[in-house]
Amino acid sequence: MSESTKSNHESFLEYKGKYRGILGWILSTDHKRIGLLYLYTMLVFFSVAAILGLLMKIQLIAPGHTIMGPATYNAMFTMHGIIMIFIIVVPGLPAVFGNFFLPLMIGAKDVAFPKLNLASWWIYVIGILIVLTSQFMGDGPPDTGWTFYAPYSFQTPANIVPALVGAFVLGFSSILTGINFVVTIHRLRAPGMKWLKMPLFPWTLYATAWIQILATPVIGITLLLTVMERTLGVGIFDPALGGDPILYQHLFWIYSHPAVYIMILPGMGVISEILPVFSRKRIYGYKAIVLSSLAIAFVGYFVWGHHMFTSGMSGRALFAFSFLTFLVAIPSAIKVFNWVATMYKGSLIFQTPFFWAVSFVFVFMIGGFSGLTLGSLATNVHLHDTHFVVAHFHFIVFGGTGFSFLAALHYWFPKMFGRMFDASWANMGWLIFFAGFLALYLPMFYLGIMGMPRRYYDYLPEFHGANILSSLGAILMIGGALIIIVNLVRSSRYGEKTNDKNPWGGKTLEWQADTPPTLENWEDIPEVTEKPYEYK
Amino acid sequence: MSQEKPHISSYRSHVFVLAALIVLTGISVAVTTLELGRLDTLVAMLIAGAKAGIVLVWFMHLKFDNKLYTIFTVLVIVVFLLVLYVTFFDYSYR
């Protein structure tokens, strides 16, 4: 059998190319293998950051010193944030599921630049290694929080520079993935797949890719300027040298707020894929969802100031940013309306991906509404830098991106591995995780309103009860996460084998490809005649 | 997907780009000797913008490419200018 024929019959998991063993993975330019490389890397670092988070919650189970002192606590929340944001949720869905499924969903054999795609993963790994070195060098781990705010980030003796340089390098990986996806979507869509016949997950990847390309350089430059500030004392952000620390916050959030949309938009795409399939109904308002994705990407650029309401901006800027923040809630609400309308009178199928999808909608709503509370100028002054903010962004970032990530993993698992997961364990894992999640983060809203500040290792005795509940929630959630991870890892090796191309009854192109897909995905590139989600 | 016809730039246009960039660099050095007050940054940015425009239009072939690329480039510049505007909106009212 010739090489190209072989590649069209063997699954990508079995295909043996130029390199064997682990080299066949880490040097592979196949988009599916690269997607799995990202998945495995993230799984390792998610476990590390989740353990750091759990240790922080154990510290907070009682007032005073329980298992760590203030310096260790500061280092813990900094590392937890850096890993979770820069290594897990920003690359998250695009790097894993975008890489794996974008070409399959638009009928392409690979992304536009496969070698660049592999380079992106390598740059990602190099960035992680640089970040990790900050933990083991002489002056102690970073303690600034993942935001590296000036002027503390160039005053602290801790190892800030490697963390900044690592985050800078990670940004390149993100930009290159964004460029790859934009070109892939423009150039490699299957014949007949006009823009408005493209499924919604690729649409959200497209909107996200533009944010990755346009916003990431800003954080790169900002982090580099901070390195220069620390090492050369150039005086851009340091008020002692005539610099402006609020400029740092502007530049930081010009990237980091759109980055929230890098995290959440692909998650919204995943939910828009799952709900029609498990409702056996056409998605409600396809065009509205597409336009709202683009609107979120665009308006999301101009709301960064709501992170800085108490930083000393001008009154007019406060008003403008508050108004824009309320504006960006509209396209998000359009999506929620469309998801609920899609389920309305549908033939609902209660399986694991559906559970994750509806729980996403639930937690995203709570996250969204609490976001409006923070976007309002008067309440923000009271709630700024309290546990309310921590609860809000975990509902959005973890509840949004994390839930949609797990929804995607369960939904596409059979296609990725050619095996089914154990549904009973998966459902139990979801239930425990969901209950733990609510018990962990809901009390934080209360704590924040009552005035408990974030980033403190200690608290007043009146906050004890809610903190106990929150810490127990963390333990419960980690238990659920363990069940989910063990079940999926075990199922990927020993789960029931399936060659069923379409186990859930999906209508998008990836369900026409082999399970698991062959190296080049398609024997013949499919021709698209219908819109996606055409359930009769 | 259809392939667009490749466009090969002439040496003349490359020389034009080089000459324009050298002249504009000379101008940006020369204006530093003038006392323009608050206009200093604006003038420097305008000259730098003109240089970037020349590189984009001729050296990077935007003029000869599919119009879609021009649209996207303009959109990106608009977003960039809006971000600048919103940032300096804060500074101008402090």
Side-chain angles (χ1 to χ4, degrees), chain A residues 219-446:
Chain A
I219 188 79
I221 292 160
T222 311
L223 297 179
L224 217 51
L225 287 173
T226 312
V227 172
M228 288 166 68
E229 192 88 51
R230 249 184 102 87
T231 52
L232 307 171
V234 288
I236 294 168
F237 305 127
D238 188 351
L241 299 170
D244 180 6
I246 298 180
L247 178 63
Y248 175 88
Q249 294 188 25
H250 270 301
L251 292 174
F252 181 83
W253 290 113
I254 284 172
Y255 164 77
S256 297
H257 193 77
V260 176
Y261 299 103
I262 296 178
M263 304 167 200
I264 198 77
L265 268 171
M268 292 170 159
V270 168
I271 303 308
S272 305
E273 294 297 331
I274 292 175
L275 288 179
V277 174
F278 289 85
S279 304
R280 290 290 185 266
K281 226 180 120 199
R282 187 183 303 169
I283 189 100
Y284 183 87
Y286 170 89
K287 281 184 192 165
I289 295 182
V290 168
L291 288 175
S292 61
S293 297
L294 296 175
I296 288 172
F298 182 74
V299 182
Y301 262 102
F302 304 105
V303 301
W304 75 83
H306 65 222
H307 296 269
M308 306 161 53
F309 281 165
T310 58
S311 299
M313 276 194 301
S314 67
R316 289 191 195 204
L318 294 179
F319 170 78
F321 279 122
S322 180
F323 173 75
L324 288 165
T325 301
F326 275 77
L327 211 59
V328 83
I330 296 170
S332 304
I334 287 172
K335 283 184 187 298
V336 173
F337 176 77
N338 284 300
W339 293 327
V340 174
T342 300
M343 288 186 280
Y344 179 66
K345 289 193 175 177
S347 307
L348 301 183
I349 299 166
F350 296 104
Q351 284 181 312
T352 319
F354 179 77
F355 293 142
W356 281 111
V358 284
S359 50
F360 165 92
V361 177
F362 180 76
V363 294
F364 178 69
M365 290 284 287
I366 295 176
F369 280 128
S370 55
L372 289 178
T373 313
L374 289 166
S376 170
L377 288 172
T379 48
N380 184 280
V381 174
H382 178 72
L383 296 170
H384 186 84
D385 267 353
T386 67
H387 270 234
F388 190 95
V389 177
V390 183
H392 158 70
F393 74 69
H394 279 90
F395 263 89
I396 289 290
V397 175
F398 194 16
T401 313
F403 276 47
S404 57
F405 192 96
L406 288 163
L409 197 52
H410 286 89
Y411 177 55
W412 282 313
F413 186 90
K415 183 63 69 183
M416 294 164 90
F417 297 100
R419 291 176 188 273
M420 294 303 287
F421 55 82
D422 185 316
S424 318
W425 282 105
N427 292 343
M428 196 199 300
W430 164 76
L431 191 62
I432 295 172
F433 188 95
F434 188 37
F437 178 90
L438 295 178
L440 164 57
Y441 295 115
L442 280 177
M444 287 191 185
F445 283 124
Y446 166 76

